[in-house]
Amino acid sequence: MDATIAKQVEAALEYVAWTVLWNKYFAIMFLLLGLFLTIGTGFFQFRRFGDIFYNTLGGLFRKNKKVRESKVSSFGAFATALGGTVGNGNIAGVASAIAIGGPGALFWMWMAALVGMVTKMSEIVLTQHYKQRYEDGSSYGSAAYYIQKGLVEGKGWKWCKILSLIFTVMMIGAFYFAPGPYTIVEALQSAFKLSGTTAIFCAIFYTGICYVIVLGGIPRIVKFAERAVPAMVICYLAAGLLIIIKDLPAAIAGIKSIFYYAFQPYAAVGGFAGVTVMKVVQVGVARSVYSNEAGWGSSPIIHAAVNVDHPGRQGLWGAMEVFMDTMVVCTITGLMVIITGAWQTGRGGAGSVGEALGIAFGGYAPHMLAFFMIIFSLTTTTGWFSYLESLIVYCVQNKPHEERMKYVRFVRYTGPMVPLCVSMFFFYHGTVPSVVWMMLDIQSALPVYVNVIALTLLSPVIFKLVKEFETDYLNPEKAARLAAKAAAKSGAKAADEN
């Protein structure tokens, strides 16, 4: 791509992304929505964090209890959604955010995630409450469903139909615009110094693996996520923690710089000149949304497939997803590129994470990055396919089951090919990672606009359901656990006395 044209395109994308869509007012509005939901639920994500952990990840360490029959388990939905979020955004997205806005961008990702925990929980609660059940036993839901049932049908607001349409079209576009093959090409070229042709063949092979997974439908996607996501997160966190432990003074300095540059902006070499505090906030919020998908309306789609006794129970998994994605995995990525100084190259994308691993572990480190990117991208691409299937079903929801499945099968056979073609277009024209990620920021903004409106209008329903869940489920369950613990302690004491 001609250098002058490339600069013009980059400037235009920057304007659309940060001035028109992710403008300073919308970034603040998104944070205020999270704060509004936080206050309305009585600071649920902070006050009930122990219950969130106990009922989600904590349950993996206890004997399985009887669960409601469904095609997808709560952990399966969590793994699929986390696999869809813990991916490109956590590696390339975080690195690009720091390249654009400096270390302070990570601070604002944290702020967006802390309030985003209850935002995502609210989305899942609404999706569970308004989901559509079909005659074959399957369940589907998304923001489009709760807009349709809660606002169009529930309140008679016909104008909200346009919101459902915008959300569905843009989310379908988000899948087809997914950068999985592009990031694979970037990571493999960085790791193995491959030629362009060889890297493209690797991307084609990657797409073939995607086909093997997605042709099995949502059940196979969920099974893949259940096995791959825990392992990939543990391996990636181990690599990041080793970098931190190897140079604790640099880690401490890096953490200080995150807080300092949140209010004293400093862009990397190649970052946007004249970066301001507001630009850092905008970048941090945008990348937080793309990474953990809180407010985007995507992850709740797979959670609709789970049958639970109350919508609030599945909502707990959403809050934990945001915490694990941003407060844990994104933090590790951010500290890696900050501690090693890789962020100062201004390159951004997966390449700067590869440089960070290379500085810490030597010549074989880029190979580690390639491995992480392949697994992360696979879980992201296949996880998003489960969302796409639900969106297609929404578009043809009034058609008979067999006809609906024809559309689903068409998407299964054609879906993975489109992201490959889009990625090859970027690669062929030499598009730099920061430009690709700005384009993703643009397409992710519109569903968030829709969802912000829907969550605000349906907030009374959210507050009612969360309060009901606390009163009728969480409080009695916690009281029963404490009583059982007290009884066990009393029994042990009596046995000792005897």
Side-chain angles (χ1 to χ4, degrees), residues 31 93-113 253-268 275-288 326 330-331 334-335 337-339 343-344:
L31 292 173
V94 174
S96 292
I98 294 174
I100 293 172
L106 185 57
F107 172 85
W108 292 107
M109 288 185 72
W110 290 342
M111 294 302 101
I255 293 171
K256 289 180 179 177
S257 71
I258 292 169
F259 289 94
Y260 178 78
Y261 288 120
F263 304 98
Q264 298 288 333
Y266 177 75
V275 64
T276 63
V277 173
M278 201 62 245
K279 173 61 70 64
V280 179
V281 175
Q282 290 171 256
V283 173
V285 172
R287 294 298 161 80
S288 179
T326 305
C330 285
T331 298
L335 287 175
V337 298
I338 292 170
I339 290 171
W343 71 279
Q344 292 177 315

Side-chain angles (χ1 to χ4, degrees), residues 14-34:
E14 180 191 356
Y15 177 81
V16 173
W18 308 122
T19 304
V20 177
L21 295 175
W22 285 105
N23 59 72
K24 58 185 179 181
Y25 304 108
F26 183 66
I28 295 299
M29 183 175 67
F30 182 83
L31 292 173
L32 288 176
L33 169 67

